[in-house]
């Protein structure tokens, strides 16, 4: 298995974690309780810098960091597929 395929697989797994964390956030808003804690620990280090950058935009309190993260990971995945 070459490096591009491994990268694509890792991106797809991480995308799944991000989506599950977003879905769990709707039903369990407290990120310190299980099972949301696991998703939060895995996604927060990547989403925190995005929140800082997006905090300068007039989004009226909406947290779109997960959407931006999914878009960026999708772009990276397409780039790896074409490589």
């Amino acid at each position: 298995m070459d490096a591009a395929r491994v990268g694509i697989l890792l991106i797809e797994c991480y995308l799944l974690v991000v989506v599950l964390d977003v879905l769990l956030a709707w039903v369990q808003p407290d990120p310190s309780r299980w099972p949301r804690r696991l998703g939060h620990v895995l996604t927060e280090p990547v989403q925190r810098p995005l929140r800082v950058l997006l905090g300068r935009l007039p989004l009226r309190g909406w947290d779109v960091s997960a959407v931006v993260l999914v878009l960026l990971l999708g772009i990276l995945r397409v780039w790896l597929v074409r490589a």
Side-chain angles (χ1 to χ4, degrees):
M1 189 176 275
D2 62 340
R5 288 186 184 187
V6 172
I8 292 167
L9 181 64
L10 289 174
I11 289 170
E12 289 175 351
C13 289
Y14 196 70
L15 280 168
L16 181 64
V17 170
V18 171
V19 169
L20 288 175
D21 187 51
V22 168
L23 292 175
L24 281 173
W26 285 348
V27 295
Q28 185 181 12
D30 184 8
S32 64
R33 294 183 53 208
W34 179 261
R36 172 99 196 283
R37 178 176 41 199
L38 178 62
H40 188 73
V41 165
L42 293 173
T43 61
E44 188 62 20
V46 180
Q47 284 183 298
R48 188 177 306 123
L50 288 174
R51 282 191 193 105
V52 170
L53 289 172
L54 295 171
R56 299 180 183 143
L57 298 175
L59 298 173
R60 297 185 181 141
W62 285 72
D63 183 10
V64 294
S65 60
V67 174
V68 172
L69 179 58
V70 167
L71 289 173
L72 291 174
L73 288 172
I75 291 168
L76 181 60
R77 184 187 178 285
V78 168
W79 181 75
L80 284 175
V81 166
R82 292 185 181 183

